[in-house]
Short mmCIF file of all heavy atoms in Angstrom, two decimals:
data_model
loop_
_atom_site.label_atom_id
_atom_site.label_comp_id
_atom_site.label_asym_id
_atom_site.label_seq_id
_atom_site.Cartn_x
_atom_site.Cartn_y
_atom_site.Cartn_z
N MET B 1 -1.94 27.15 -1.87
CA MET B 1 -1.24 26.66 -3.01
C MET B 1 -0.88 27.81 -3.92
O MET B 1 -1.71 28.65 -4.23
CB MET B 1 -2.10 25.69 -3.81
CG MET B 1 -2.00 24.27 -3.26
SD MET B 1 -2.85 23.18 -4.37
CE MET B 1 -4.45 23.23 -3.61
N GLY B 2 0.30 27.80 -4.42
CA GLY B 2 0.71 28.81 -5.40
C GLY B 2 0.40 28.40 -6.82
O GLY B 2 -0.01 27.28 -7.05
N PRO B 3 0.57 29.33 -7.71
CA PRO B 3 0.28 28.98 -9.10
C PRO B 3 1.31 27.94 -9.66
O PRO B 3 2.48 28.00 -9.33
CB PRO B 3 0.41 30.31 -9.86
CG PRO B 3 1.27 31.19 -8.96
CD PRO B 3 1.01 30.70 -7.56
N GLY B 4 0.84 27.02 -10.41
CA GLY B 4 1.72 26.01 -11.00
C GLY B 4 2.11 24.90 -10.07
O GLY B 4 3.04 24.15 -10.34
N ARG B 5 1.41 24.77 -8.97
CA ARG B 5 1.72 23.68 -8.01
C ARG B 5 0.39 23.00 -7.59
O ARG B 5 -0.62 23.55 -7.65
CB ARG B 5 2.37 24.24 -6.76
CG ARG B 5 3.70 24.87 -7.07
CD ARG B 5 4.41 25.23 -5.77
NE ARG B 5 5.77 25.65 -6.03
CZ ARG B 5 6.83 24.83 -5.97
NH1 ARG B 5 6.69 23.62 -5.60
NH2 ARG B 5 8.03 25.31 -6.25
N GLU B 6 0.50 21.73 -7.26
CA GLU B 6 -0.67 20.98 -6.78
C GLU B 6 -0.31 20.23 -5.51
O GLU B 6 0.84 19.83 -5.31
CB GLU B 6 -1.17 20.05 -7.87
CG GLU B 6 -0.18 19.07 -8.38
CD GLU B 6 -0.72 18.24 -9.55
OE1 GLU B 6 -1.50 18.78 -10.35
OE2 GLU B 6 -0.41 17.07 -9.61
N ALA B 7 -1.30 20.03 -4.67
CA ALA B 7 -1.09 19.38 -3.38
C ALA B 7 -1.16 17.88 -3.53
O ALA B 7 -1.84 17.36 -4.43
CB ALA B 7 -2.12 19.81 -2.37
N VAL B 8 -0.37 17.14 -2.74
CA VAL B 8 -0.40 15.70 -2.73
C VAL B 8 -0.91 15.30 -1.37
O VAL B 8 -1.05 16.11 -0.48
CB VAL B 8 1.02 15.13 -2.97
CG1 VAL B 8 0.99 13.65 -3.31
CG2 VAL B 8 1.74 15.87 -4.07
N ALA B 9 -1.29 14.01 -1.17
CA ALA B 9 -1.86 13.54 0.05
C ALA B 9 -1.01 13.90 1.28
O ALA B 9 -1.54 14.19 2.33
CB ALA B 9 -2.13 12.02 0.03
N GLY B 10 0.29 13.89 1.15
CA GLY B 10 1.18 14.18 2.28
C GLY B 10 1.31 15.64 2.64
O GLY B 10 1.88 16.02 3.62
N GLY B 11 0.68 16.51 1.85
CA GLY B 11 0.70 17.94 2.10
C GLY B 11 1.85 18.65 1.40
O GLY B 11 1.86 19.91 1.44
N GLU B 12 2.73 17.95 0.72
CA GLU B 12 3.81 18.66 0.03
C GLU B 12 3.33 19.10 -1.35
O GLU B 12 2.38 18.59 -1.91
CB GLU B 12 5.02 17.72 -0.13
CG GLU B 12 4.71 16.45 -0.93
CD GLU B 12 5.85 15.48 -0.91
OE1 GLU B 12 5.93 14.67 0.03
OE2 GLU B 12 6.65 15.51 -1.85
N LEU B 13 3.97 20.14 -1.84
CA LEU B 13 3.62 20.68 -3.16
C LEU B 13 4.54 20.22 -4.23
O LEU B 13 5.75 20.22 -4.04
CB LEU B 13 3.61 22.22 -3.09
CG LEU B 13 2.62 22.86 -2.11
CD1 LEU B 13 2.79 24.34 -2.10
CD2 LEU B 13 1.21 22.50 -2.51
N LEU B 14 4.00 19.74 -5.33
CA LEU B 14 4.80 19.26 -6.42
C LEU B 14 4.52 20.16 -7.63
O LEU B 14 3.42 20.66 -7.84
CB LEU B 14 4.43 17.81 -6.80
CG LEU B 14 4.70 16.78 -5.70
CD1 LEU B 14 4.21 15.44 -6.13
CD2 LEU B 14 6.18 16.73 -5.38
N PRO B 15 5.49 20.38 -8.48
CA PRO B 15 5.25 21.15 -9.71
C PRO B 15 4.33 20.45 -10.64
O PRO B 15 4.37 19.22 -10.76
CB PRO B 15 6.67 21.34 -10.33
CG PRO B 15 7.50 20.25 -9.73
CD PRO B 15 6.88 19.92 -8.39
N ARG B 16 3.47 21.19 -11.26
CA ARG B 16 2.47 20.67 -12.22
C ARG B 16 3.16 20.40 -13.56
O ARG B 16 3.97 21.22 -14.00
CB ARG B 16 1.40 21.71 -12.40
CG ARG B 16 0.03 21.15 -12.35
CD ARG B 16 -1.02 22.22 -12.49
NE ARG B 16 -1.75 22.27 -11.24
CZ ARG B 16 -2.42 23.30 -10.84
NH1 ARG B 16 -2.56 24.36 -11.53
NH2 ARG B 16 -3.08 23.21 -9.68
N PRO B 17 2.83 19.30 -14.22
CA PRO B 17 3.40 19.11 -15.58
C PRO B 17 2.88 20.12 -16.58
O PRO B 17 1.77 20.60 -16.42
CB PRO B 17 2.93 17.66 -15.94
CG PRO B 17 1.76 17.44 -15.09
CD PRO B 17 1.96 18.25 -13.83
N PRO B 18 3.63 20.46 -17.61
CA PRO B 18 3.18 21.44 -18.60
C PRO B 18 1.95 20.93 -19.32
O PRO B 18 1.83 19.71 -19.55
CB PRO B 18 4.37 21.62 -19.53
CG PRO B 18 5.21 20.39 -19.33
CD PRO B 18 4.99 19.93 -17.95
N LEU B 19 1.08 21.84 -19.67
CA LEU B 19 -0.16 21.45 -20.36
C LEU B 19 0.15 21.07 -21.81
O LEU B 19 1.02 21.63 -22.44
CB LEU B 19 -1.15 22.61 -20.35
CG LEU B 19 -1.72 23.02 -18.98
CD1 LEU B 19 -2.56 24.25 -19.16
CD2 LEU B 19 -2.49 21.90 -18.40
N GLY B 20 -0.57 20.11 -22.33
CA GLY B 20 -0.43 19.70 -23.73
C GLY B 20 0.69 18.73 -24.00
O GLY B 20 0.89 18.36 -25.11
N GLY B 21 1.40 18.29 -23.01
CA GLY B 21 2.50 17.37 -23.20
C GLY B 21 3.66 18.07 -23.88
O GLY B 21 3.63 19.21 -24.24
N GLU B 22 4.73 17.34 -23.99
CA GLU B 22 5.92 17.91 -24.64
C GLU B 22 6.06 17.33 -26.02
O GLU B 22 6.20 16.12 -26.19
CB GLU B 22 7.15 17.56 -23.78
CG GLU B 22 7.12 18.25 -22.40
CD GLU B 22 8.43 18.01 -21.64
OE1 GLU B 22 9.44 17.87 -22.27
OE2 GLU B 22 8.32 18.02 -20.43
N ARG B 23 6.05 18.15 -27.04
CA ARG B 23 6.19 17.78 -28.42
C ARG B 23 7.46 18.33 -28.92
O ARG B 23 7.93 19.38 -28.51
CB ARG B 23 5.03 18.27 -29.26
CG ARG B 23 3.74 17.60 -28.94
CD ARG B 23 2.67 18.06 -29.90
NE ARG B 23 1.47 17.31 -29.67
CZ ARG B 23 0.33 17.56 -30.30
NH1 ARG B 23 0.23 18.57 -31.09
NH2 ARG B 23 -0.70 16.83 -30.07
N GLN B 24 7.98 17.67 -29.94
CA GLN B 24 9.20 18.18 -30.58
C GLN B 24 8.80 19.39 -31.41
O GLN B 24 7.71 19.40 -31.99
CB GLN B 24 9.80 17.09 -31.51
CG GLN B 24 10.22 15.85 -30.77
CD GLN B 24 11.35 16.14 -29.82
OE1 GLN B 24 12.22 16.93 -30.12
NE2 GLN B 24 11.37 15.46 -28.68
N PRO B 25 9.65 20.39 -31.48
CA PRO B 25 9.33 21.52 -32.35
C PRO B 25 9.24 21.06 -33.77
O PRO B 25 10.05 20.28 -34.28
CB PRO B 25 10.45 22.50 -32.16
CG PRO B 25 11.56 21.71 -31.51
CD PRO B 25 10.93 20.51 -30.85
N GLY B 26 8.28 21.52 -34.52
CA GLY B 26 8.10 21.09 -35.90
C GLY B 26 7.22 19.88 -36.08
O GLY B 26 6.93 19.49 -37.19
N TYR B 27 6.83 19.23 -34.98
CA TYR B 27 5.94 18.06 -35.09
C TYR B 27 4.60 18.47 -35.71
O TYR B 27 4.12 17.80 -36.57
CB TYR B 27 5.74 17.46 -33.69
CG TYR B 27 4.72 16.34 -33.65
CD1 TYR B 27 5.00 15.10 -34.18
CD2 TYR B 27 3.45 16.54 -33.15
CE1 TYR B 27 4.09 14.09 -34.16
CE2 TYR B 27 2.50 15.55 -33.12
CZ TYR B 27 2.81 14.32 -33.63
OH TYR B 27 1.93 13.31 -33.62
N THR B 28 4.06 19.60 -35.28
CA THR B 28 2.79 20.01 -35.78
C THR B 28 2.87 20.42 -37.27
O THR B 28 1.97 20.19 -38.06
CB THR B 28 2.16 21.17 -34.98
OG1 THR B 28 3.13 22.21 -34.94
CG2 THR B 28 1.85 20.75 -33.57
N MET B 29 4.01 20.97 -37.66
CA MET B 29 4.21 21.36 -39.08
C MET B 29 4.28 20.07 -39.91
O MET B 29 3.67 20.01 -41.03
CB MET B 29 5.50 22.17 -39.23
CG MET B 29 5.73 22.63 -40.62
SD MET B 29 4.45 23.79 -41.06
CE MET B 29 5.24 24.70 -42.37
N LEU B 30 5.00 19.08 -39.46
CA LEU B 30 5.09 17.80 -40.19
C LEU B 30 3.70 17.16 -40.29
O LEU B 30 3.32 16.66 -41.33
CB LEU B 30 6.07 16.85 -39.49
CG LEU B 30 6.23 15.48 -40.13
CD1 LEU B 30 6.84 15.63 -41.50
CD2 LEU B 30 7.13 14.65 -39.25
N GLN B 31 2.97 17.18 -39.19
CA GLN B 31 1.62 16.63 -39.16
C GLN B 31 0.72 17.32 -40.18
O GLN B 31 -0.04 16.70 -40.92
CB GLN B 31 1.04 16.71 -37.73
CG GLN B 31 -0.24 16.00 -37.57
CD GLN B 31 -0.74 16.10 -36.15
OE1 GLN B 31 -0.20 16.91 -35.31
NE2 GLN B 31 -1.79 15.41 -35.78
N PHE B 32 0.81 18.66 -40.24
CA PHE B 32 0.03 19.47 -41.14
C PHE B 32 0.38 19.06 -42.58
O PHE B 32 -0.49 18.86 -43.42
CB PHE B 32 0.23 20.95 -40.92
CG PHE B 32 -0.31 21.78 -42.01
CD1 PHE B 32 -1.65 22.05 -42.08
CD2 PHE B 32 0.53 22.32 -43.00
CE1 PHE B 32 -2.21 22.80 -43.13
CE2 PHE B 32 0.03 23.12 -44.03
CZ PHE B 32 -1.35 23.35 -44.07
N LEU B 33 1.70 19.01 -42.90
CA LEU B 33 2.12 18.70 -44.25
C LEU B 33 1.70 17.33 -44.70
O LEU B 33 1.26 17.12 -45.86
CB LEU B 33 3.61 18.90 -44.41
CG LEU B 33 4.11 20.35 -44.31
CD1 LEU B 33 5.66 20.39 -44.32
CD2 LEU B 33 3.55 21.17 -45.48
N LEU B 34 1.80 16.35 -43.83
CA LEU B 34 1.37 15.02 -44.18
C LEU B 34 -0.11 14.89 -44.42
O LEU B 34 -0.59 14.27 -45.35
CB LEU B 34 1.80 13.99 -43.07
CG LEU B 34 3.30 13.71 -43.02
CD1 LEU B 34 3.59 12.81 -41.80
CD2 LEU B 34 3.77 13.03 -44.33
N GLY B 35 -0.87 15.55 -43.58
CA GLY B 35 -2.34 15.60 -43.74
C GLY B 35 -2.75 16.32 -45.02
O GLY B 35 -3.63 15.88 -45.72
N PHE B 36 -2.07 17.38 -45.33
CA PHE B 36 -2.34 18.17 -46.54
C PHE B 36 -2.03 17.31 -47.80
O PHE B 36 -2.82 17.25 -48.76
CB PHE B 36 -1.53 19.42 -46.57
CG PHE B 36 -1.82 20.36 -47.72
CD1 PHE B 36 -2.92 21.16 -47.69
CD2 PHE B 36 -0.97 20.46 -48.80
CE1 PHE B 36 -3.23 21.98 -48.71
CE2 PHE B 36 -1.22 21.27 -49.83
CZ PHE B 36 -2.36 22.06 -49.84
N ALA B 37 -0.89 16.63 -47.78
CA ALA B 37 -0.49 15.81 -48.91
C ALA B 37 -1.45 14.64 -49.08
O ALA B 37 -1.84 14.31 -50.20
CB ALA B 37 0.93 15.31 -48.73
N LEU B 38 -1.80 13.98 -47.99
CA LEU B 38 -2.74 12.86 -48.03
C LEU B 38 -4.12 13.32 -48.60
O LEU B 38 -4.72 12.66 -49.37
CB LEU B 38 -2.90 12.20 -46.68
CG LEU B 38 -3.79 11.03 -46.64
CD1 LEU B 38 -3.27 9.85 -47.49
CD2 LEU B 38 -4.06 10.56 -45.18
N GLY B 39 -4.55 14.47 -48.13
CA GLY B 39 -5.83 15.02 -48.65
C GLY B 39 -5.80 15.29 -50.11
O GLY B 39 -6.79 15.04 -50.82
N ASN B 40 -4.66 15.79 -50.60
CA ASN B 40 -4.55 16.06 -52.07
C ASN B 40 -4.56 14.73 -52.83
O ASN B 40 -5.18 14.68 -53.87
CB ASN B 40 -3.29 16.86 -52.32
CG ASN B 40 -3.45 18.30 -52.06
OD1 ASN B 40 -4.53 18.87 -52.23
ND2 ASN B 40 -2.38 18.92 -51.61
N VAL B 41 -3.85 13.74 -52.37
CA VAL B 41 -3.81 12.45 -53.01
C VAL B 41 -5.21 11.84 -53.09
O VAL B 41 -5.66 11.36 -54.14
CB VAL B 41 -2.82 11.54 -52.38
CG1 VAL B 41 -2.93 10.09 -52.89
CG2 VAL B 41 -1.40 12.03 -52.56
N VAL B 42 -5.93 11.88 -52.00
CA VAL B 42 -7.29 11.29 -51.95
C VAL B 42 -8.21 12.13 -52.88
O VAL B 42 -9.00 11.53 -53.62
CB VAL B 42 -7.84 11.29 -50.51
CG1 VAL B 42 -9.33 10.97 -50.48
CG2 VAL B 42 -7.07 10.30 -49.65
N GLY B 43 -8.08 13.44 -52.90
CA GLY B 43 -8.89 14.27 -53.76
C GLY B 43 -8.62 13.96 -55.24
O GLY B 43 -9.55 13.89 -56.05
N MET B 44 -7.37 13.81 -55.61
CA MET B 44 -7.03 13.46 -57.00
C MET B 44 -7.59 12.11 -57.36
O MET B 44 -8.10 11.93 -58.48
CB MET B 44 -5.52 13.49 -57.24
CG MET B 44 -4.97 14.89 -57.25
SD MET B 44 -3.19 14.96 -57.63
CE MET B 44 -2.44 14.36 -56.12
N TYR B 45 -7.52 11.12 -56.48
CA TYR B 45 -8.04 9.82 -56.75
C TYR B 45 -9.53 9.89 -56.99
O TYR B 45 -10.04 9.29 -57.92
CB TYR B 45 -7.71 8.84 -55.59
CG TYR B 45 -8.34 7.49 -55.76
CD1 TYR B 45 -7.77 6.56 -56.54
CD2 TYR B 45 -9.54 7.18 -55.07
CE1 TYR B 45 -8.35 5.28 -56.69
CE2 TYR B 45 -10.13 5.95 -55.20
CZ TYR B 45 -9.52 5.00 -56.04
OH TYR B 45 -10.09 3.78 -56.20
N LEU B 46 -10.26 10.56 -56.11
CA LEU B 46 -11.69 10.71 -56.28
C LEU B 46 -12.06 11.41 -57.55
O LEU B 46 -13.01 11.00 -58.24
CB LEU B 46 -12.29 11.44 -55.10
CG LEU B 46 -12.28 10.70 -53.74
CD1 LEU B 46 -12.77 11.59 -52.63
CD2 LEU B 46 -13.06 9.41 -53.82
N ALA B 47 -11.29 12.45 -57.91
CA ALA B 47 -11.65 13.19 -59.13
C ALA B 47 -11.46 12.36 -60.38
O ALA B 47 -12.17 12.56 -61.36
CB ALA B 47 -10.80 14.43 -59.19
N GLN B 48 -10.49 11.43 -60.32
CA GLN B 48 -10.25 10.61 -61.55
C GLN B 48 -11.15 9.42 -61.64
O GLN B 48 -11.45 8.95 -62.74
CB GLN B 48 -8.82 10.16 -61.52
CG GLN B 48 -7.78 11.24 -61.76
CD GLN B 48 -6.37 10.73 -61.63
OE1 GLN B 48 -6.13 9.57 -61.44
NE2 GLN B 48 -5.44 11.64 -61.74
N ASN B 49 -11.62 8.89 -60.51
CA ASN B 49 -12.30 7.60 -60.51
C ASN B 49 -13.78 7.64 -60.26
O ASN B 49 -14.48 6.65 -60.31
CB ASN B 49 -11.67 6.66 -59.54
CG ASN B 49 -10.23 6.32 -59.95
OD1 ASN B 49 -10.01 5.86 -61.07
ND2 ASN B 49 -9.30 6.55 -59.10
N TYR B 50 -14.32 8.84 -59.95
CA TYR B 50 -15.76 8.95 -59.69
C TYR B 50 -16.32 10.07 -60.52
O TYR B 50 -15.64 11.04 -60.85
CB TYR B 50 -16.01 9.20 -58.20
CG TYR B 50 -15.65 8.00 -57.35
CD1 TYR B 50 -14.42 7.93 -56.70
CD2 TYR B 50 -16.52 6.94 -57.20
CE1 TYR B 50 -14.07 6.82 -55.95
CE2 TYR B 50 -16.22 5.83 -56.46
CZ TYR B 50 -14.97 5.79 -55.81
OH TYR B 50 -14.65 4.68 -55.09
N ASP B 51 -17.62 9.96 -60.88
CA ASP B 51 -18.27 10.96 -61.65
C ASP B 51 -18.75 12.08 -60.72
O ASP B 51 -19.83 12.04 -60.11
CB ASP B 51 -19.46 10.33 -62.38
CG ASP B 51 -20.15 11.31 -63.32
OD1 ASP B 51 -19.51 12.28 -63.74
OD2 ASP B 51 -21.33 11.11 -63.59
N ILE B 52 -17.91 13.10 -60.57
CA ILE B 52 -18.23 14.26 -59.74
C ILE B 52 -19.01 15.24 -60.63
O ILE B 52 -18.50 15.59 -61.69
CB ILE B 52 -16.94 14.88 -59.16
CG1 ILE B 52 -16.24 13.83 -58.28
CG2 ILE B 52 -17.30 16.13 -58.37
CD1 ILE B 52 -14.94 14.30 -57.76
N PRO B 53 -20.20 15.66 -60.21
CA PRO B 53 -21.00 16.54 -61.07
C PRO B 53 -20.34 17.89 -61.24
O PRO B 53 -19.69 18.42 -60.36
CB PRO B 53 -22.33 16.66 -60.31
CG PRO B 53 -22.01 16.33 -58.91
CD PRO B 53 -20.84 15.38 -58.95
N ASP B 54 -20.58 18.52 -62.42
CA ASP B 54 -20.07 19.85 -62.69
C ASP B 54 -21.02 20.86 -62.02
O ASP B 54 -22.19 20.98 -62.33
CB ASP B 54 -20.03 20.08 -64.21
CG ASP B 54 -19.41 21.41 -64.58
OD1 ASP B 54 -18.77 22.04 -63.70
OD2 ASP B 54 -19.56 21.76 -65.77
N LEU B 55 -20.46 21.57 -61.05
CA LEU B 55 -21.30 22.46 -60.21
C LEU B 55 -21.86 23.63 -61.07
O LEU B 55 -22.97 24.05 -60.84
CB LEU B 55 -20.51 23.02 -59.04
CG LEU B 55 -20.14 21.98 -58.01
CD1 LEU B 55 -19.32 22.62 -56.87
CD2 LEU B 55 -21.36 21.34 -57.40
N ALA B 56 -21.09 24.12 -62.03
CA ALA B 56 -21.59 25.20 -62.85
C ALA B 56 -22.83 24.80 -63.63
O ALA B 56 -23.83 25.54 -63.72
CB ALA B 56 -20.47 25.67 -63.80
N LYS B 57 -22.82 23.60 -64.19
CA LYS B 57 -23.97 23.11 -64.95
C LYS B 57 -25.18 22.90 -64.01
O LYS B 57 -26.31 23.17 -64.35
CB LYS B 57 -23.64 21.82 -65.67
CG LYS B 57 -22.73 21.98 -66.86
CD LYS B 57 -22.47 20.71 -67.54
CE LYS B 57 -21.51 20.89 -68.71
NZ LYS B 57 -21.15 19.63 -69.38
N LYS B 58 -24.91 22.35 -62.82
CA LYS B 58 -26.00 22.12 -61.89
C LYS B 58 -26.65 23.43 -61.48
O LYS B 58 -27.87 23.55 -61.38
CB LYS B 58 -25.46 21.40 -60.63
CG LYS B 58 -25.10 19.97 -60.85
CD LYS B 58 -26.31 19.13 -60.98
CE LYS B 58 -25.92 17.67 -61.10
NZ LYS B 58 -27.06 16.81 -61.37
N LEU B 59 -25.83 24.46 -61.22
CA LEU B 59 -26.37 25.78 -60.84
C LEU B 59 -27.22 26.36 -61.97
O LEU B 59 -28.25 26.97 -61.72
CB LEU B 59 -25.25 26.73 -60.45
CG LEU B 59 -24.61 26.41 -59.09
CD1 LEU B 59 -23.42 27.36 -58.84
CD2 LEU B 59 -25.61 26.56 -57.97
N GLU B 60 -26.77 26.22 -63.22
CA GLU B 60 -27.52 26.76 -64.33
C GLU B 60 -28.88 26.02 -64.43
O GLU B 60 -29.93 26.65 -64.69
CB GLU B 60 -26.75 26.58 -65.63
CG GLU B 60 -25.60 27.53 -65.76
CD GLU B 60 -26.03 28.98 -65.78
OE1 GLU B 60 -27.06 29.32 -66.38
OE2 GLU B 60 -25.31 29.81 -65.15
N ASP B 61 -28.90 24.70 -64.23
CA ASP B 61 -30.17 23.94 -64.29
C ASP B 61 -31.11 24.41 -63.15
O ASP B 61 -32.29 24.59 -63.40
CB ASP B 61 -29.89 22.43 -64.09
CG ASP B 61 -29.19 21.86 -65.31
OD1 ASP B 61 -29.17 22.51 -66.39
OD2 ASP B 61 -28.63 20.72 -65.18
N ILE B 62 -30.55 24.65 -61.98
CA ILE B 62 -31.39 25.11 -60.85
C ILE B 62 -31.93 26.51 -61.17
O ILE B 62 -33.11 26.77 -60.92
CB ILE B 62 -30.56 25.11 -59.57
CG1 ILE B 62 -30.24 23.64 -59.16
CG2 ILE B 62 -31.28 25.83 -58.46
CD1 ILE B 62 -29.26 23.54 -57.98
N LYS B 63 -31.12 27.40 -61.74
CA LYS B 63 -31.57 28.74 -62.08
C LYS B 63 -32.72 28.66 -63.09
O LYS B 63 -33.72 29.41 -62.98
CB LYS B 63 -30.43 29.56 -62.66
CG LYS B 63 -29.49 30.08 -61.63
CD LYS B 63 -28.42 30.96 -62.32
CE LYS B 63 -27.35 31.40 -61.36
NZ LYS B 63 -26.31 32.17 -61.97
N ARG B 64 -32.53 27.81 -64.14
CA ARG B 64 -33.61 27.68 -65.14
C ARG B 64 -34.90 27.19 -64.51
O ARG B 64 -35.98 27.62 -64.81
CB ARG B 64 -33.16 26.73 -66.27
CG ARG B 64 -32.48 27.49 -67.36
CD ARG B 64 -32.24 26.63 -68.59
NE ARG B 64 -30.86 26.16 -68.52
CZ ARG B 64 -30.48 24.89 -68.54
NH1 ARG B 64 -31.37 23.96 -68.61
NH2 ARG B 64 -29.21 24.57 -68.44
N ASP B 65 -34.81 26.23 -63.60
CA ASP B 65 -36.02 25.68 -62.94
C ASP B 65 -36.71 26.74 -62.11
O ASP B 65 -37.92 26.88 -62.12
CB ASP B 65 -35.63 24.49 -62.07
CG ASP B 65 -35.27 23.25 -62.89
OD1 ASP B 65 -35.56 23.21 -64.07
OD2 ASP B 65 -34.66 22.36 -62.25
N VAL B 66 -35.92 27.54 -61.39
CA VAL B 66 -36.51 28.61 -60.54
C VAL B 66 -37.15 29.67 -61.43
O VAL B 66 -38.25 30.17 -61.15
CB VAL B 66 -35.39 29.24 -59.67
CG1 VAL B 66 -35.90 30.51 -59.00
CG2 VAL B 66 -34.98 28.21 -58.65
N GLU B 67 -36.48 30.06 -62.52
CA GLU B 67 -37.04 31.00 -63.47
C GLU B 67 -38.37 30.51 -64.06
O GLU B 67 -39.33 31.29 -64.20
CB GLU B 67 -36.06 31.32 -64.59
CG GLU B 67 -34.78 32.00 -64.16
CD GLU B 67 -34.94 33.46 -63.84
OE1 GLU B 67 -35.84 34.11 -64.43
OE2 GLU B 67 -34.19 33.95 -62.95
N ALA B 68 -38.40 29.24 -64.40
CA ALA B 68 -39.64 28.67 -64.97
C ALA B 68 -40.77 28.68 -63.96
O ALA B 68 -41.93 28.91 -64.35
CB ALA B 68 -39.35 27.25 -65.47
N LYS B 69 -40.47 28.44 -62.72
CA LYS B 69 -41.53 28.50 -61.68
C LYS B 69 -41.97 29.90 -61.38
O LYS B 69 -43.15 30.07 -60.95
CB LYS B 69 -40.99 27.81 -60.43
CG LYS B 69 -40.85 26.33 -60.58
CD LYS B 69 -40.36 25.69 -59.30
CE LYS B 69 -40.14 24.17 -59.50
NZ LYS B 69 -39.61 23.54 -58.27
N LYS B 70 -41.13 30.92 -61.57
CA LYS B 70 -41.51 32.26 -61.27
C LYS B 70 -42.44 32.84 -62.35
O LYS B 70 -43.26 33.69 -62.03
CB LYS B 70 -40.28 33.16 -61.14
CG LYS B 70 -39.51 32.98 -59.87
CD LYS B 70 -38.38 34.01 -59.84
CE LYS B 70 -37.58 33.85 -58.54
NZ LYS B 70 -36.40 34.77 -58.52
N LYS B 71 -42.28 32.42 -63.56
CA LYS B 71 -43.09 32.98 -64.66
C LYS B 71 -44.55 32.52 -64.50
O LYS B 71 -44.82 31.37 -64.24
CB LYS B 71 -42.57 32.50 -66.01
CG LYS B 71 -41.22 33.08 -66.36
CD LYS B 71 -40.77 32.57 -67.74
CE LYS B 71 -39.37 33.08 -68.05
NZ LYS B 71 -38.92 32.55 -69.30
N PRO B 72 -45.47 33.46 -64.68
CA PRO B 72 -46.87 33.07 -64.56
C PRO B 72 -47.30 32.23 -65.78
O PRO B 72 -46.76 32.50 -66.88
CB PRO B 72 -47.64 34.40 -64.53
CG PRO B 72 -46.71 35.38 -65.16
CD PRO B 72 -45.32 34.88 -64.86
N PRO B 73 -48.15 31.27 -65.61
CA PRO B 73 -48.58 30.43 -66.74
C PRO B 73 -49.34 31.31 -67.78
O PRO B 73 -50.07 32.20 -67.41
CB PRO B 73 -49.45 29.40 -66.13
CG PRO B 73 -49.89 29.91 -64.81
CD PRO B 73 -48.81 30.90 -64.36
N SER B 74 -49.10 31.01 -69.02
CA SER B 74 -49.79 31.80 -70.05
C SER B 74 -51.24 31.27 -70.19
O SER B 74 -51.47 30.07 -70.08
CB SER B 74 -49.07 31.66 -71.37
OG SER B 74 -48.97 30.30 -71.77
N ASP B 75 -52.17 32.20 -70.43
CA ASP B 75 -53.62 31.82 -70.53
C ASP B 75 -54.00 31.65 -71.99
O ASP B 75 -54.73 32.46 -72.59
CB ASP B 75 -54.47 32.88 -69.89
CG ASP B 75 -54.31 32.89 -68.36
OD1 ASP B 75 -53.95 31.84 -67.83
OD2 ASP B 75 -54.51 33.96 -67.75
N LYS B 76 -53.50 30.64 -72.63
CA LYS B 76 -53.91 30.32 -74.04
C LYS B 76 -54.91 29.21 -74.00
O LYS B 76 -54.57 28.09 -73.67
CB LYS B 76 -52.68 29.95 -74.83
CG LYS B 76 -51.71 31.09 -75.08
CD LYS B 76 -50.54 30.69 -75.97
CE LYS B 76 -49.61 31.82 -76.16
NZ LYS B 76 -48.50 31.43 -77.01
N SER B 77 -56.12 29.53 -74.33
CA SER B 77 -57.16 28.52 -74.31
C SER B 77 -57.67 28.29 -75.69
O SER B 77 -57.84 29.10 -76.53
CB SER B 77 -58.34 28.94 -73.48
OG SER B 77 -57.93 29.19 -72.15
#
């Protein structure tokens, strides 16, 4: 068998179909743009309607907690 051909039961060789199917040019670009736009719309909806925590404040709280645990306890008796 040569490259790009496959055998059939009768022994004849038929050309292999192209891999990945045939898509229209620009189909993947349109799919990307629609997905990107939908993702932005969903993100805006979530940002307006749900209480998303402020990451900067959360990181500062975590840093303060870590700093407090690193300091040795004072020996005031």
Side-chain angles (χ1 to χ4, degrees):
M1 273 188 268
R5 298 186 171 264
E6 56 186 36
V8 195
E12 61 188 85
L13 297 177
L14 297 175
R16 226 178 245 160
L19 294 176
E22 295 186 28
R23 291 184 173 172
Q24 299 294 325
Y27 173 75
T28 54
M29 184 65 157
L30 179 65
Q31 187 178 10
F32 168 77
L33 289 175
L34 287 175
F36 185 78
L38 181 64
N40 281 328
V41 169
V42 170
M44 287 186 284
Y45 175 80
L46 291 175
Q48 291 176 3
N49 293 307
Y50 292 97
D51 185 23
I52 298 174
D54 185 12
L55 292 179
K57 288 181 182 178
K58 289 286 185 187
L59 287 175
E60 288 298 321
D61 291 343
I62 291 171
K63 283 182 185 178
R64 269 191 262 123
D65 290 343
V66 169
E67 296 283 332
K69 288 181 183 178
K70 282 184 181 178
K71 292 181 183 177
S74 59
D75 291 332
K76 292 183 179 180
S77 304

